[in-house]
Amino acid sequence: MGSDYAHRKWCHLRKVLERSGPFCRPDFEPSPNTLQFLSENCKLLVIGAGGLGCELLKDLALMGFGQIHLIDMDTIELSNLNRQFLFRQKDIGASKAEIAAKFINTRIPGCHVIPHFCKIQDKDEAFYRQFHIVISGLDSIVARRWINGMLISLLNYEDGELDQSSVIPMIDGGTEGFKGNARVILPGLTACIECTLDLYPPQVTYPLCTIANTPRLPEHCIEYVKVMQWPKENPFDCPIDGDDPQHINWIYEKSNERAVQFSIQGLTYRLVQGVVKNIIPAVASTNAVIAASCSTEVFKLATSCCSSLNNYMVLNDLDGIYTYTYEAEKKEDCLACSQIPREIQISNSTLKLKDLLAILCERVDLQMKNPGITANVNGKNKTLYMQTVASIEEKTRENLNRSLVELGLRNGSEIMVADSTTPNTVVMKLKFSTSTTDIDML
Amino acid sequence: MIKLFSLKQAKKDGESPRTGTQKKASAAQLRITKDINELNLPKTCGTEFPDPDDLLTFKLIICPDEGFYKGGRFVFSFKVGPNYPHEPPKVKCETQVYHPNIDLEGNVCLNILREDWKPVLTINSIVYGLQYLFLEPNPEDPLNKDAAEVLQNNRRVFEQNVVKAMRGGYVGSFYFERCLK
């Protein structure tokens, strides 16, 4: 590759990164190093290699980002090919992440995409901590909440103050038909997924008695088969798999019988697929706009050349183009990002659980009434004590006379405390006083 | 506006913070802990946690002390998913019951379990909803159509059928197992 080529390839980026301008962030320093940072050091994680993912990957790679990890658990299907342009017919059945990475690596010299063909839940903290920015193009709220929780758990607090170097920004894109949104999330600093969870519309559900007795819509018939007939007859001895044509066929036949019985029109195989898999029509151009906006935000954050989107952009291109940007606010009692662990001093490593309970109830700034305590010990949830529920109280009573160390708690361990005096479960961090830590280490 | 990282900063793989890593509880976990700790059960209800470390799976036992179902003992299984409270828990009735709003497979027709679920509702709201079903079975929105028809047309026969079912025996062609306390 001639240097002349490389020079021409990035000449437009250089104009942005090597010159100052009236719209630059005050702390922006024009420098030729920035471009090098993008291609060599700045590590991105793209979550999802579907409609948004293909667009994102193409945009980011052509914008100079050279170190991109890509994670997706899905394989390529025929119906993806109209918009997921990194895939071809011969790729059907193969991993989206692997094929997309291969395509970009071949097509864009200098860009290194590393694919991960797995669930995001299969990766641990050490994996996520390596990235500068995480970009998500997901179609699932559960997955969004999971990665949101993960990035928040990577935050470091020192004496209640957030260590800003532990912040990994998340750029989240989402589309549904002609509508979409792009948002910039700085975990711990700005509104997170959990803060704005109410913005997601609830899933469409029908009253059980309607689908059981008075169905009027083809959807009622499909839901009937899905929630009542399937569990009862269990035709394939497994839960419904929306990607298995045999399953869809069975549901189609059964719901058709029901539709005929109640003289309901309009039941088709596609509708069955749509209802079972909760398919939302995807519009390629909406994906393109949202991905472009997300990629621009990644570029702004990585280079500091311009202020970030603040912080939630909505798009509707159903009827012309409507777009609006507003600042989603951080929720003060957010279950995910407002959980700054409170420190609790433990003076003695032989302190028993019942003594800790007494501290929680007696300390002037806590004065709890009936605290229930859980903790995560060695990666497993443990209920240490809960007085209010008889069957749990009985089984956890013996913990009261155990010391915190015996229960698996150490200096820095976090406990979750639920009590009627606080609106949410509170996270507390145990701080053993120095002398006991020394004993602990012996 | 904060500056999140300097240009030369390269992140190291697998670098862990000083205090050692600990898995944070999920939002669903934090919320359910609160819900369970604050359960305020009427005296007719009890819970059973087969594994106290798993607050997401448990049973609710209702023993109505008035109404058609007085003297019966009804077990409901609760499964709370990772999307709680955005989505309601899955609730099934494990006891066979002759009831207009509960079918013979254990499906329960209670609005807040499906279409009217809101994240502000709690496990306690569901407990009260279920308890109410036993006090005021609702023939208007039936799951067990036969039971609903009988209740609507002849309360006495309905009452007798409920007792028959709870004692263990046939109502129509369906055999109910005994569920008296």
Side-chain angles (χ1 to χ4, degrees):
Chain A
M1 203 71 49
S3 69
D4 182 47
Y5 169 81
H7 189 81
R8 277 186 290 128
K9 184 175 176 185
W10 303 122
C11 79
H12 298 289
L13 276 184
R14 283 183 194 282
K15 285 182 181 138
V16 176
L17 298 177
E18 295 175 12
R19 305 191 302 201
S20 195
F23 299 110
C24 290
R25 262 174 58 163
D27 60 345
F28 174 65
E29 288 166 23
S31 152
N33 295 339
T34 313
L35 192 58
Q36 194 187 347
F37 169 72
L38 295 188
S39 68
E40 288 170 18
N41 297 110
C42 188
K43 245 181 164 173
L44 304 182
L45 173 67
V46 176
I47 303 179
L52 269 176
C54 283
E55 291 278 355
L56 283 168
L57 211 57
K58 171 260 289 173
D59 289 351
L60 294 168
L62 292 174
M63 264 176 151
F65 290 95
Q67 312 295 330
I68 306 175
H69 286 240
L70 175 66
I71 185 165
D72 195 311
M73 59 184 273
D74 271 343
T75 52
I76 297 160
E77 287 178 50
L78 177 68
S79 63
N80 302 148
L81 300 184
N82 73 325
R83 62 192 185 285
Q84 298 175 24
F85 48 82
L86 302 177
F87 312 139
R88 299 291 175 265
Q89 192 139 13
K90 64 171 174 20
D91 301 323
I92 289 172
S95 150
K96 286 188 176 180
E98 286 168 6
I99 298 293
K102 211 167 117 190
F103 192 109
I104 295 288
N105 289 340
T106 315
R107 181 71 172 73
I108 304 176
C111 183
H112 305 286
V113 183
I114 298 170
H116 302 274
F117 179 27
C118 61
K119 293 185 183 170
I120 53 172
Q121 290 86 346
D122 295 341
K123 298 285 184 187
D124 62 5
E125 297 194 345
F127 174 78
Y128 289 104
R129 191 176 289 116
Q130 65 180 307
F131 299 106
H132 287 97
I133 303 174
V134 170
I135 308 104
S136 64
L138 287 161
D139 60 357
S140 137
I141 296 173
V142 178
R144 276 196 181 83
R145 290 179 72 186
W146 192 89
I147 186 64
N148 183 64
M150 170 55 82
L151 296 181
I152 286 165
S153 75
L154 295 179
L155 297 175
N156 255 341
Y157 288 89
E158 294 287 337
D159 305 318
E161 278 292 308
L162 176 63
D163 168 10
Q164 294 199 343
S165 70
S166 66
V167 174
I168 300 176
M170 167 162 151
I171 314 292
D172 179 52
T175 70
E176 193 174 300
F178 290 101
K179 295 171 192 162
N181 73 282
R183 58 191 294 192
V184 176
I185 297 170
L186 305 177
L189 295 166
T190 67
C192 76
I193 296 284
E194 209 72 30
C195 290
T196 57
L197 200 60
D198 301 348
L199 292 179
Y200 296 114
Q203 279 218 339
V204 183
T205 44
Y206 308 99
L208 210 51
C209 21
T210 304
I211 63 174
N213 290 304
T214 51
R216 298 178 307 275
L217 301 171
E219 287 87 346
H220 291 157
C221 303
I222 302 166
E223 278 284 307
Y224 175 80
V225 177
K226 198 176 127 188
V227 303
M228 307 190 74
Q229 226 168 331
W230 184 283
K232 191 174 162 189
E233 302 186 19
N234 210 353
F236 299 95
D237 274 322
C238 62
I240 297 174
D241 175 2
D243 293 322
D244 187 331
Q246 268 189 304
H247 290 195
I248 298 291
N249 240 324
W250 191 87
I251 299 171
Y252 173 59
E253 278 167 25
K254 295 290 171 185
S255 39
N256 213 6
E257 282 170 23
R258 199 168 164 79
V260 170
Q261 188 191 338
F262 287 89
S263 321
I264 293 168
Q265 312 278 313
L267 195 130
T268 61
Y269 186 86
R270 279 191 74 97
L271 184 71
V272 174
Q273 253 185 329
V275 172
V276 173
K277 288 183 69 180
N278 208 2
I279 293 180
I280 293 146
V283 174
S285 52
T286 313
N287 283 340
V289 177
I290 293 301
S293 168
C294 289
S295 308
T296 308
E297 292 310 317
V298 177
F299 185 80
K300 289 194 220 166
L301 272 173
T303 62
S304 317
C305 71
C306 189
S307 298
S308 291
L309 175 83
N310 188 21
N311 53 32
Y312 198 121
M313 188 271 281
V314 287
L315 167 84
N316 184 338
D317 57 359
L318 183 62
D319 193 11
I321 289 185
Y322 171 82
T323 174
Y324 181 69
T325 301
Y326 73 102
E327 183 180 352
E329 282 178 37
K330 207 162 174 289
K331 198 166 147 188
E332 241 164 82
D333 58 353
C334 173
L335 277 178
C337 73
S338 75
Q339 294 287 347
I340 302 166
R342 267 176 98 149
E343 283 185 359
I344 288 267
Q345 286 288 341
I346 304 296
S347 53
N348 190 327
S349 67
T350 58
L351 195 86
K352 295 195 166 89
L353 185 64
K354 64 176 180 193
D355 304 324
L356 178 65
L357 274 172
I359 294 176
L360 295 176
C361 294
E362 284 160 19
R363 239 174 72 166
V364 195
D365 60 337
L366 296 172
Q367 298 191 45
M368 293 190 161
K369 296 288 176 232
N370 43 17
I373 308 184
T374 64
N376 194 296
V377 179
N378 301 326
K380 277 192 69 184
N381 285 315
K382 259 185 105 70
T383 305
L384 299 179
Y385 188 67
M386 203 173 268
Q387 183 222 316
T388 53
V389 181
S391 66
I392 300 181
E393 199 278 336
E394 227 170 85
K395 289 178 188 159
T396 55
R397 195 181 298 154
E398 52 187 19
N399 288 342
L400 287 176
N401 279 315
R402 296 204 172 121
S403 74
L404 300 182
V405 175
E406 282 172 331
L407 291 166
L409 299 172
R410 298 285 179 271
N411 184 30
S413 288
E414 288 180 1
I415 56 170
M416 273 68 72
V417 184
D419 188 75
S420 51
T421 56
T422 60
N424 286 321
T425 303
V426 184
V427 180
M428 293 186 179
K429 198 171 188 171
L430 303 179
K431 196 122 197 181
F432 289 53
S433 57
T434 354
S435 58
T436 54
T437 330
D438 292 343
I439 297 164
D440 212 33
M441 284 155 83
L442 293 171
Chain B
M1 193 69 204
I2 60 151
K3 185 144 180 142
L4 289 163
F5 31 78
S6 73
L7 292 184
K8 305 242 168 59
Q9 177 198 347
K11 292 221 165 184
K12 291 186 192 105
D13 297 356
E15 183 190 11
S16 56
R18 281 182 307 113
T19 45
T21 58
Q22 185 189 15
K23 231 179 150 192
K24 284 258 166 67
S26 67
Q29 189 74 36
L30 290 171
R31 170 62 197 270
I32 195 69
T33 307
K34 178 79 181 161
D35 274 24
I36 300 298
N37 194 57
E38 244 99 291
L39 271 182
N40 188 358
L41 299 177
K43 61 181 189 306
T44 51
C45 297
T47 49
E48 240 178 61
F49 287 79
D51 175 4
D53 292 336
D54 177 9
L55 300 179
L56 303 173
T57 314
F58 60 95
K59 293 191 196 308
L60 170 77
I61 297 110
I62 303 183
C63 302
D65 60 357
E66 56 180 314
F68 294 117
Y69 297 90
K70 186 177 170 179
R73 182 179 187 275
F74 305 96
V75 181
F76 291 85
S77 67
F78 279 64
K79 270 197 186 321
V80 181
N83 224 3
Y84 186 77
H86 192 61
E87 278 169 19
K90 290 201 163 39
V91 178
K92 282 251 178 185
C93 183
E94 294 193 337
T95 311
Q96 291 171 345
V97 54
Y98 179 78
H99 192 295
N101 312 110
I102 302 175
D103 73 11
L104 302 171
E105 273 81 49
N107 296 305
V108 184
C109 189
L110 180 66
N111 60 341
I112 54 169
L113 283 178
R114 289 178 64 84
E115 71 276 10
D116 289 334
W117 171 258
K118 306 243 168 3
V120 291
L121 295 173
T122 63
I123 299 295
N124 229 30
S125 337
I126 298 174
V127 172
Y128 278 97
L130 292 173
Q131 150 124 325
Y132 183 74
L133 277 187
F134 285 105
L135 299 177
E136 294 283 341
N138 172 12
E140 305 286 318
D141 297 321
L143 262 192
N144 181 337
K145 234 168 152 177
D146 298 336
E149 263 168 40
V150 176
L151 174 60
Q152 211 145 29
N153 298 329
N154 193 332
R155 285 177 79 86
R156 262 197 66 78
V157 175
F158 179 79
E159 199 174 345
Q160 285 163 359
N161 283 350
V162 170
V163 172
K164 226 190 279 176
M166 291 199 303
R167 281 194 187 135
Y170 281 95
V171 176
S173 60
F174 191 86
Y175 182 79
F176 289 86
E177 273 171 39
R178 187 183 163 86
C179 68
L180 286 176
K181 249 210 291 196

